[in-house]
Amino acid sequence: MLSAIALAALIQSAPASEDIVIPSEPAPLHGTLLTPVDARAAAVLIPGSGPTDRDGNQMPAIQAATLRLMAEALADDGIATVRIDKRGVGASAMAALSEDALRFDHMAEDARAWAAELAQRTGRDCVWLMGHSEGGLVAQVAAADNPQVCGVVLLASAGRPAADILREQLAALPQPLNDQAMDGLSEMEAGRTVETIPGLEALFRPSVQPYLISWFRHDPRALAAAWDRPMLIVHATRDIQVNAADADAWRPPSRTPRGSILKASIMC
């Protein structure tokens, strides 16, 4: 059994967990701040696509708690984190926007707000943004021209524009559906909406097209080339959604001019 002194020391050294709220319209956004004793850095953990909550779960199907476990591991290494319920998810459900009103940049604006809140609460000049999957692109957009961001960490984040990935995923469609889908993606890349394509309503319905157009506008490689602070890119070889092509897309050409892309791609 632990002595009273040892138990007290353990309690005093444990990271402090606190539910926090930041203002937003139409309702506040919620997250969890985990602060170790004598924190040496701070990071915002940004979930990937879909209804992913602050712990990295999509209830009831996914209950791995990846983001909570990451926050706890980072706390053990002296790094404070805030992990967030995205707009429309978990405790932030009331902050949801209608599908036709939602834009990709709403998520980047939320990430900027969380970075500012974390910097203020931890007393740091800047914090890190750590994004998983789609959250990596959110982190890149939120970090651009933002002095409150020290650096970004991209975890299984696509190294290609979203429209290119969708083309790859839709390549096996039969004709003439394939041509219709490719033409539709090209039109949305150019900022134009298209008629709903029968059989592909989930992707080309009118209410979701403005979001897709706003998403297609961001090129992760271009954002990386313009970034002049630290960036860590981590990929896994057995990822079933973000494949080796996305990891390879981050690798700079052998003759890249010094300083244009300074990145490390770690395969694990």
Side-chain angles (χ1 to χ4, degrees), residues 125-143:
D125 292 332
C126 63
V127 300
W128 289 71
L129 297 182
M130 301 181 65
H132 171 247
S133 188
E134 184 185 56
L137 184 59
V138 173
Q140 286 187 276
V141 176

Side-chain angles (χ1 to χ4, degrees), residues 67-253:
L67 294 180
R68 178 179 60 78
L69 293 172
M70 182 179 295
E72 291 170 353
L74 289 169
D76 289 343
D77 201 30
I79 300 171
T81 59
V82 62
R83 59 189 195 272
I84 62 177
D85 281 340
K86 295 195 303 182
R87 184 177 293 275
V89 177
S92 300
M94 297 304 293
L97 299 173
S98 62
E99 185 174 75
D100 60 349
L102 182 64
R103 301 292 184 271
F104 187 89
D105 286 351
H106 285 125
M107 296 187 291
E109 290 165 5
D110 293 343
R112 289 189 194 99
W114 281 115
E117 180 72 12
L118 182 58
Q120 188 275 325
R121 284 179 176 266
T122 59
R124 311 202 72 81
D125 292 332
C126 63
V127 300
W128 289 71
L129 297 182
M130 301 181 65
H132 171 247
S133 188
E134 184 185 56
L137 184 59
V138 173
Q140 286 187 276
V141 176
D145 299 319
N146 187 347
Q148 288 186 307
V149 177
C150 311
V152 294
V153 178
L154 310 182
L155 305 170
S157 185
R160 299 170 289 163
D164 289 351
I165 296 171
L166 287 175
R167 286 190 180 92
E168 182 179 274
Q169 294 174 346
L170 298 174
L173 287 173
Q175 295 292 3
L177 200 57
N178 182 282
D179 284 345
Q180 292 176 305
M182 299 305 147
D183 289 345
L185 289 174
S186 294
E187 285 294 296
M188 286 194 288
E189 274 187 304
R192 296 183 290 266
T193 58
V194 299
E195 295 293 327
T196 302
I197 299 175
L200 293 175
E201 291 86 355
L203 182 60
F204 291 98
R205 61 187 182 276
S207 60
V208 79
Q209 288 185 37
Y211 175 83
L212 292 175
I213 289 171
S214 71
W215 185 22
F216 293 170
R217 191 174 297 129
H218 299 294
D219 182 343
R221 286 276 295 184
L223 288 164
W227 181 248
D228 61 357
R229 279 160 277 168
M231 175 180 285
L232 175 65
I233 301 168
V234 181
H235 279 262
T237 55
R238 297 184 181 181
D239 195 311
I240 62 174
Q241 291 186 316
V242 179
N243 59 35
D246 287 291
D248 291 340
W250 290 111
R251 300 184 189 279

Side-chain angles (χ1 to χ4, degrees), residues 36-56:
V37 176
D38 298 326
R40 59 188 180 88
V44 179
L45 305 185
I46 305 173
S49 60
T52 308
D53 65 19
R54 72 184 77 181
D55 288 337

